[in-house]
Amino acid sequence: MTERRRQSIILLFVALLVVASVVVLVAKPTKRGLDLQGGVQLVYQVSGTKGEGVTDDAIQRTIDVMQDRINQYGVGESEIQRSGTNQIVVSLPSITNTAEAQRRVGTTAQLAFYDWEANVAGPGGRLDASDQRVTGANAGGIGVGGAEINNPVALSQYGAVLRASKFPKRTNPAGTIPTQTGDQWYLVDDKAKTVLNSSPSASVAELTADLRTSRNPTLRRALDANGQPTADKRFVKVNEGWRIIQAANNVNTDGKVIPAGNRWFIIRDRPGLLGDDIKNPAQGVGQGVGQNGPLVSFEFTDTGKNRWRQTTREIAERGAENCIQTRGLTRSQQGDACNQHFTIVLDQQAISSPTIDFQEYPEGISGSGGSQISGSFSFEQAKSLANLLKSGSLPLKLNVISSQQVSATLGEEALSQGLLAGIVGFGVVALFLIGYYRVLGLIAVAGLAAYTLFFLAIIKLVPVVLTLPGIAGLILTIAVAADANVVIFERFKDELQDGRSVQRAIKDGYRKGLSAIIDGNVITFLVAFVLFLVATAGVKGFAFTLGVGVLLSMFTAVLLTQAILGFAARSKLMSHPAALGARKRDPIWHRFDFNGFGRWFFAASGIILAIGAIAVGQRGLNFGIDFESGTQITATARPGTTVDQVRDALRPVGQGEAKIQEVNDGARFQIQTEDLSTAEQTRVNRALQTGVGVQPDDLNSNTVGPTFGETVAKTAVIAILASFILIAFVIWFRFGLRYTVPILIAVVHDLLITAGIYALSGAEVTASTVAALLTIIGYSLYDTIIVFDRVRENLNRLPSAAFSQIVNRSMSEVLGRSLITSFSVGLPTLALFLFGGDTLKDFALAMLIGTISGAYSSVFIAAPVLTEWMERVPAFKARRARLIAANGGTLPPYPEKGGREVDVDAAKKRRASSRVTTPDAAGEQVSAAEFAEMVRDLGVEGAEAQTRGRTVEPPELTTSEPTNRAERRAAARRPATSPAVPDEPVQDDGPQAPKPVERAADLSPEEVTFRDDPGRGSKRKKRR
């Protein structure tokens, strides 16, 4: 297949992909994340319950139950995913109430039915169904369904816990339902006579962990540094076999719910029925006389029917036995006085205590027609209970460690800002490429446009949830794709300036630039991979888009751009160097002694790092709530509102000392407090609405508990360390150990400078900053690899030069390229910083700092460090001494003009084929410089003189014997891919008289052309 045919097939394939991408973009919707459309995100930490440990299966069943609940509420495009080993992330678009989201999704919903009179406990654990002083039922005119409402034997939670702590352990007989709780631990405050944890823990260790990670600062302060209760507080244990439950809420005649308050009971943990024994629950409305309120109806499983019949029969029989008929009472009044109850308990609270009418059901209720629950709840509560019963109990205990609420209005604003930053970023990169590379820039922009189109199509096709960090990843990968084009174009221009033809320059430019592109992109992809594995949800989206973008940029920058260039190479436009931005270049740094000034670069970096270290030590880093627990609220108040007015509005709800700052130079404020509970956050929101005119749609909130902050910090450290290990291995494999250490030193240099600037400026360090730091690692390495790749290439090309000369030569050749790549990354990053909004500013700031520092360290830190190391190698040390002696005691910073230089490509061709040279394509013209090179390859005497300063004519071959033939033979036999450091030390003959460095004579035809052809060699021997 000819080259032109291959290029045509590639372009046709890309055209088909463009059409398919357009179809996908038009036909499929974009799946937006919460930060772009509004909603609630909850992060739960799971812990085990009695009989259920935290296993993969238990977590998956918990996720399934949560998903069922969400589906029943009709929340579209919701997402539940596991994070790490013990966390679950729930995203609920369009939900605007965090408390409602938690109630709907995360309620444990351990439902159990208890015979009230038989299990309510009095002093000493006494059980007496016939004694109203123990049960409290039917006393004081409680009425139907009110066994625990207004019950005179109710205790405070503190009193119930202390009384129950004296009861011995009880287990249930074999063949009955086992106890639902094991040992239960509480933390009580004897001075305040309160219980600090309303939900018990299974052990002291679990309770301590719950308190330390609580979102309530009062609970966290209840323990000292050793995990022991502070003054007047102590741990109290309630043995297995007993439960402490709260009375049910009441409902008044208007349907308003009246909270139960501090009214608690101790019951024997002997359930007659569990939530797993019922099916098909549904919310409804009572139709009978006096039963027009909300209710929940349900059916029973086969096991449930038997248990229901047995439990209700025992309740009915006991009601008949204990009832004393009284004259003058109606049947209804007699039932109120004598009927017994069963109580439905959901988690730690009773939800209803209906009666069993012994006169209507003397043998109990069969359960064949199902049953219903009615009483102390509103219509909304009845609906919620029905849904909870449908989905069943959660296998594991859930604890909210982070919650985030984004309003739809601010989500739309964030989307607009992100898209604007993307458009501006693409535009400035396109203008820069066109202005600098002219026609090549137009080709690069076409490749970037195709890249962006493909990327957006993949986002919709997978589909990937598009978030603000994802948009940042897209913008950054545009810069990565532009970088690949820059590397290739600069190589292409180098070849043109060396006299290559356009087609030859394209081929050699791609071939020589490909290794650096692959190395850099592999490292960037590995960084994205590590970040995706360990990061939290938002940063994970950035990592995914960055990884996809790196892979896609390889396709567009290497295959597509090369095909376009190859197809257009024969056009007249491509024949003008000025149209390609390939005018003769002679920058001021081409003779700059980079290594000679290395000590000044080290000193400058040392001063910067010292200032940064002092700033970090004295001021520290300003960690955001992603790392430190707290609640951050962003609100838009009425125009003209001041910070003092916002503080005055928050003072009545106890948040007058909150950290408040104005953002975006308008009426938007950011409020940061200790992590608030859901109820506290609701009060703050209401205070902002009434005090400074904040609308509900203009409220964003983000609450992070200590556990989540510790997780973010831990994953950040893991990500950075894992990235370093992977990167070190890749560099060691590709370059060797001596190259690895300087590269890692440069990376650490960039990270430390970034940290120092953050400490000096007081900028907030968030999870996005960590993503930026890891991206800085990838970018800094990419830039350094370009330099080191050229060093490695020049080691073979300059076999007689000192290592410092080779590094100087390499850096002078790639410094312009390094500046251009930094510019192409800095432009879209600057667009993110200016137009991306507050969410992306943290990321963009770190990237800007890292881009500047990375461009500096790759040239002025990594390369001098490499030189200092390599110059101590005996072979290079001897070579340096020999050159110093030959140049009068000084070493020129660059190899002398006319010095020995090996054309590595020509050497490879000579070994690969017996032919002297072959045109790249049929009919392709050979430039003068290429013809001169072929003349030199032939080894013709006086080739330099023949080709210098005049038109070259094809010379005749000569067999004359050149001088100094032994030295030329040794040079010809040297492998083109010889190692950078010779295995044997160079023999130093001692000081010699200074003499100018002479260019080695060219090789003879028989030494170069026929030496590797065994066939011809054998024939030649025979003729001799």
Side-chain angles (χ1 to χ4, degrees), residues 914 1006 1009-1024:
S914 62
E1006 58 264 42
T1009 307
F1010 304 111
R1011 181 168 50 83
D1012 292 332
D1013 191 332
R1016 294 192 179 190
S1018 60
K1019 290 180 181 179
R1020 191 164 58 251
K1021 289 179 181 178
K1022 288 180 180 180
R1023 284 197 296 269
R1024 289 178 182 175

Side-chain angles (χ1 to χ4, degrees), residues 65 410 428 659 799 814:
V65 171
L410 295 180
V428 293
K659 179 182 177 182
V814 301

Side-chain angles (χ1 to χ4, degrees), residues 31 195 312 404 425 729:
K31 190 174 182 181
V195 177
T312 54
Q404 183 178 15
F729 177 78

Side-chain angles (χ1 to χ4, degrees), residues 424-447:
V424 172
F426 182 91
V428 293
V429 170
L431 290 176
F432 168 70
L433 291 175
I434 293 173
Y436 191 82
Y437 290 110
R438 313 295 174 81
V439 176
L440 295 179
L442 288 173
I443 295 174
V445 171

Side-chain angles (χ1 to χ4, degrees), residues 48-127:
T49 58
K50 182 187 177 185
E52 187 75 71
V54 181
T55 62
D56 291 341
D57 178 66
I59 291 178
Q60 186 57 53
R61 285 189 285 116
T62 301
I63 291 175
D64 292 341
V65 171
M66 297 170 78
Q67 189 65 63
D68 288 341
R69 293 179 180 179
I70 292 174
N71 294 339
Q72 289 160 12
Y73 284 101
V75 180
E77 299 183 353
S78 61
E79 183 178 8
I80 303 179
Q81 57 184 350
R82 180 175 178 176
S83 177
T85 58
N86 63 345
Q87 292 181 6
I88 297 175
V89 181
V90 182
S91 299
L92 303 173
S94 304
I95 296 294
T96 58
N97 189 321
T98 304
E100 178 67 11
Q102 292 183 27
R103 186 180 64 81
R104 290 183 175 186
V105 178
T107 303
T108 308
Q110 292 179 333
L111 191 73
F113 297 75
Y114 289 90
D115 181 341
W116 174 263
E117 280 80 6
N119 290 297
V120 65
R126 179 184 171 213
L127 304 177

Side-chain angles (χ1 to χ4, degrees), residues 481-500:
D483 273 353
N485 284 305
V486 167
V487 171
I488 292 172
F489 289 168
E490 287 296 312
R491 279 287 191 175
F492 172 59
K493 290 163 67 175
D494 288 345
E495 298 299 317
L496 284 178
Q497 290 184 349
D498 286 343
R500 304 286 191 273

